[in-house]
Amino acid sequence: MPGVKHFEIYAGEDRTLSLVARDAAGDVLGLTSATLAFRMAPSPGRGSTVSATGSIVSAPAGTFTVALTDSQTNVEAGDYTYHVLATISGTDTLCARGTIRVKALNQA
């Protein structure tokens, strides 16, 4: 199962998400020569609200980050789903997924 992690952020903030890539069996996915594509949407299949590229921290450990800018997180408050595809040697693998709860800046 791909890595599952949930986040809570405020609309309009810069935020870096730290993640671990996992394969279908739940094992750490090595990211040597990988490219990482992040997509966040209001609900599965409803189009991408935010697209970003992941940055590998440690390829052998499968760790990576996704940096989101204030303009990317400046979305309506609510729950969003995200997923990350790792492309390695032309093969796409779902390696991370979860939810991101976006809170309004004036929301505690």
Side-chain angles (χ1 to χ4, degrees):
M1 152 185 305
V4 177
K5 190 168 182 182
H6 307 292
F7 296 94
E8 205 170 82
I9 66 175
Y10 286 96
E13 75 172 337
D14 291 325
R15 184 69 181 268
T16 299
L17 310 178
S18 296
L19 297 152
V20 177
R22 297 199 179 272
D23 63 18
D27 298 323
V28 169
L29 178 67
L31 296 175
T32 301
S33 301
T35 58
L36 300 164
F38 170 92
R39 302 285 181 271
M40 181 178 91
S43 64
R46 270 193 43 206
S48 293
T49 298
V50 175
S51 297
T53 302
S55 298
I56 297 169
V57 175
S58 172
T63 57
F64 66 98
T65 60
V66 176
L68 300 175
T69 65
D70 57 346
S71 62
Q72 290 173 307
T73 65
N74 192 23
V75 296
E76 186 176 326
D79 292 335
Y80 294 77
T81 61
Y82 76 88
H83 70 268
V84 181
L85 290 178
T87 303
I88 304 169
S89 300
T91 301
D92 292 334
T93 301
L94 177 64
C95 67
R97 65 181 179 83
T99 58
I100 297 176
R101 174 164 287 164
V102 178
K103 297 170 106 178
L105 282 177
N106 60 355
Q107 183 179 355

